[in-house]
Amino acid sequence: MSHSPTQRKLPGYLSALLTTFLVVWLIMAAVPFLWTLWGSFKVEGDFFSKADWTNALTGELTISETGGAFTGQGYYGAWVQEEFWRAVMNSAIVCFFVVTISLTCSTLAGYALSRSTYNYAFWFLIAALIFRAMPPITLVSGYLLPFFEWNLWGHLSTTIIVLVAINQPFSLWMMTSFFRNIPKDLDESAMVDGCNRIQAFRHVILPVMWPGVITTGLFSFLLAYNDFAVTALLLEKDNQTMIPKIASFLGTTQTKGNVMFAVAAVISATAPLFVLILFFQRQIVSGLTAGAVKG
């Protein structure tokens, strides 16, 4: 005799406690961004007022200086005056190539290692893990001498090479883990039906792997998007990506208004991440939980 599964409800006090915790966490996570977004439309004297923090809400100096409660001077100064759009383009180029190269190499290598029956696969992954555990700044220093000697320092291509090298072990571990949770029977069934190894990988395994590919690609993207140490050391001032460019605004706070360029640039750099996460949220959750139940 079969019984239908029943769901156990949480006790009332525990449910209320959990709800309260989630609400508090959401407020703590959202308030800094919303406050910065609000302040990006104010002048520096209001947003960083030492006399009264409520000036950031009322915008007294903003009204007296610009004639309105809100102003886009910070965005104009960052995007037009300081040409922040160049940093955005540089970040887009770096992220595109880092994600493309990392995903291509880690997908192929992860599949090969997950299907390998030799012991070298395990030691190869251990070596990759040790390499990933090293501080990125130590890896960058090893590249500086050849880059200077070959006149490659300051180019986006050098930054892409270093970021791929830093990111590759992490991507390799993730993709290998995902592939190991796909039964080898799928490969064998495809090859019995006439596919070779490459065709089985392309037409049978890869479609099942899309959540894992998207999740790994997102982490690779975030590494390149948010990197400061590598890009600050390897790129010239006129060829920076977004994060070092924002830091350069903060380093010139003695010039009135420059700090508001940084505030506007922070919002400009953060907002696309929210859109990206919302767009790929299902694939990310599916990819992160892919290893929970082994097929």
Side-chain angles (χ1 to χ4, degrees), residues 144-166:
L144 290 178
L145 181 59
F147 285 164
F148 280 126
E149 289 184 349
W150 299 336
N151 198 26
L152 296 176
W153 183 85
H155 301 285
L156 291 179
S157 56
T158 59
T159 303
I160 293 171
I161 292 172
V162 176
L163 287 177
V164 168
I166 294 174

Side-chain angles (χ1 to χ4, degrees), residues 192-243:
V192 167
D193 292 337
C195 294
N196 56 35
R197 176 67 71 176
I198 297 178
Q199 291 173 331
F201 169 76
R202 178 182 176 185
H203 297 292
V204 179
I205 303 300
L206 196 57
V208 182
M209 272 296 299
W210 273 119
V213 171
I214 293 176
T215 303
T216 306
L218 180 63
F219 280 106
S220 300
F221 171 83
L222 292 176
L223 170 78
Y225 193 87
N226 296 321
D227 180 80
F228 174 76
V230 174
T231 51
L233 282 175
L234 296 182
L235 292 177
E236 297 175 340
K237 184 177 180 180
D238 297 332
N239 200 29
Q240 292 175 326
T241 52
M242 287 190 293
I243 307 303

